[in-house]
């Protein structure tokens, strides 16, 4: 029987391992979303409404999204000072004050300005996300600084990975177990800003 060359042996090893490489999941995701649907976590594994240990990596990825990181600055007041001084302007589409553009935030000096509101859901991680809301139906004209209907303001969206917490029943229980939850991964579209577009014809 002829001796197989090292190249042939290496080829057979790669052939055997090749399917296994593609069957693996990304390192940040647990062994599969189906396991998240099936696993019911008892109260003792969910102290202080925190995520289970093996889901912390997924939660950290969600917390790094723009809508999640904006919440801290909104609550801390870095944007609150602007809101206090221009609250009457941010509640509606107002004329653009060109002399103030150097001090204004991006969402205020845009030709399609927007404001932020905090969307809260106690059964979602992250629980709080910053949602953008357009202030104008049209857009601000550069020459006049006032709203024009020749363009439309539309929201821009970012797909954000979140975890939804749902009540579940532990093995052996016929009804939902108090304090027990399962977690489902979901992607949601979150408005993060506004831009100007041409109106749809007709």
């Amino acid at each position: 029987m002829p001796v197989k060359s090292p190249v042939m042996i290496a080829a057979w090893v790669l052939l055997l391992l090749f399917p296994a490489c593609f069957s693996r999941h990304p390192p940040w995701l647990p062994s599969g979303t189906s396991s998240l649907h099936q696993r019911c976590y008892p109260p003792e594994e969910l102290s202080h409404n925190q995520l289970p240990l093996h889901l912390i990596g997924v939660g950290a990825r969600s917390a790094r999204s723009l809508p999640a990181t904006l919440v801290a600055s909104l609550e801390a007041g870095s944007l609150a000072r602007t809101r206090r001084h221009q609250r009457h302007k941010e509640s509606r589409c107002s004329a653009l004050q060109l002399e103030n553009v150097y001090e204004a935030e991006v969402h205020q000096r845009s030709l399609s300005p927007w404001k932020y509101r905090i969307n809260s859901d106690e059964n979602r991680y992250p629980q709080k996300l910053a949602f953008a809301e357009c202030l104008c139906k049209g857009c601000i004209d550069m020459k006049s600084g006032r709203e024009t209907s020749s363009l439309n303001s539309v929201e821009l969206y970012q797909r954000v990975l979140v975890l939804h917490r749902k009540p579940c029943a532990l093995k052996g229980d016929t009804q939902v177990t108090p304090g027990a939850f399962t977690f489902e991964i979901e992607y949601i579209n979150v408005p993060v800003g506004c831009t100007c577009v041409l109106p749809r014809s007709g």
Side-chain angles (χ1 to χ4, degrees), residues 14 84 86 99 110 115 125 127 152 160 179-180 198:
L14 287 174
R84 283 198 297 269
Q86 299 187 5
E99 64 273 13
S110 170
K115 65 178 180 179
Y125 188 90
Q127 289 188 359
N152 290 158
V160 177
L198 292 171

Side-chain angles (χ1 to χ4, degrees), residues 115-164:
K115 65 178 180 179
Y116 290 108
R117 66 177 176 85
I118 296 178
N119 176 275
S120 299
D121 185 346
E122 63 179 9
N123 291 315
R124 180 187 67 204
Y125 188 90
Q127 289 188 359
K128 296 180 179 181
L129 294 172
F131 279 33
E133 293 182 348
C134 301
L135 294 176
C136 305
K137 291 183 178 180
C139 289
I140 303 298
D141 181 77
M142 274 294 295
K143 294 181 179 179
S144 66
R146 299 187 178 279
E147 183 180 8
T148 174
S149 58
S150 61
L151 295 170
N152 290 158
S153 287
V154 295
E155 294 175 338
L156 296 172
Y157 293 88
Q158 178 183 358
R159 283 180 63 79
V160 177
L161 182 150
V162 298
L163 288 165
H164 280 291

Side-chain angles (χ1 to χ4, degrees), residues 8 18 47 72 97 123 134 179 188-189 197:
M8 288 290 292
F18 194 70
S47 58
Q97 302 296 321
N123 291 315
C134 301
I188 61 174
N189 291 323
V197 298

